[in-house]
Amino acid sequence: MSRNYKFHNPEGIYFVSTSVIDWLDVFTRIEYKEIIIESLKYCQSQKGMEIHAYCIMTNHIHLIFRSTSKSNPPQNILGDFKRFTSKKIVKTILDNPKESRKDLFIEQFKKAAKKSSNVNKYQFWRHDNMPIEIWSNSIIDGKINYIHNNPVVAGCVDCPCDYTYSSARNYAGMEGILDVVCL
């Protein structure tokens, strides 16, 4: 991985994107999005994650966050989040009798795990997060606009604040499903 894509400043604010392997559209079902939301809430309350912006799309997530914990740097928070959600979502897929895509998903997760040296049974997330430290107002504004307009560009909604699984609602002065620190 390039040196440009690492968490260098433990106190920095970072833009990260993390994707499901093979860009599988797992998050078309609300129960899987809810696992992400609950996990992010846990990271906020227990791990020192301060979220500034987010969006959960069908096959990837965008976050702008920083660590407020001296003992828990941003790469550890993100790693813990990905490990937990990977296991929880795969288990939920396996246990979901209504999941019509179960066989496809599990086959792909197993295949990806076989190609990875640090995954045992199922690989859910891609390994590349590409964290980018953001430090200027213009870069922050650009990344927030990019995140919030993702559902519009994808054709999910006409207005960013109409998308439930995004911080655009928070930035529009509405109640969001996660607490965010607006920049």
Side-chain angles (χ1 to χ4, degrees), residues 21-22 86 90 105-127:
I21 57 107
D22 297 334
S86 175
V90 169
F105 286 162
I106 298 304
E107 180 182 326
Q108 293 302 104
F109 299 156
K110 284 181 180 178
K111 191 162 83 172
K114 287 179 184 175
K115 295 177 187 175
S116 179
S117 62
N118 60 346
V119 177
N120 291 331
K121 195 167 183 179
Y122 305 111
Q123 181 177 341
F124 181 80
W125 296 111
R126 290 172 48 117
H127 291 301

Side-chain angles (χ1 to χ4, degrees), residues 78-113:
L78 187 63
D80 289 349
F81 166 80
K82 286 178 69 174
R83 269 185 297 282
F84 176 80
T85 56
S86 175
K87 290 175 185 170
K88 178 79 172 175
I89 293 168
V90 169
K91 181 180 181 339
T92 304
I93 289 169
L94 285 166
D95 294 344
N96 186 349
K98 295 181 181 179
E99 180 53 77
S100 60
R101 307 164 299 167
K102 184 185 307 191
D103 292 341
L104 168 73
F105 286 162
I106 298 304
E107 180 182 326
Q108 293 302 104
F109 299 156
K110 284 181 180 178
K111 191 162 83 172

Side-chain angles (χ1 to χ4, degrees), residues 128-161:
D128 53 341
N129 304 310
M130 293 193 241
I132 299 169
E133 185 175 6
I134 53 178
W135 43 268
S136 75
N137 289 337
S138 64
I139 293 173
I140 289 170
D141 291 344
K143 293 297 185 189
I144 289 171
N145 287 333
Y146 172 78
I147 288 172
H148 291 165
N149 282 304
N150 221 227
V152 175
V153 171
C156 300
V157 292
D158 291 328
C159 178
C161 63

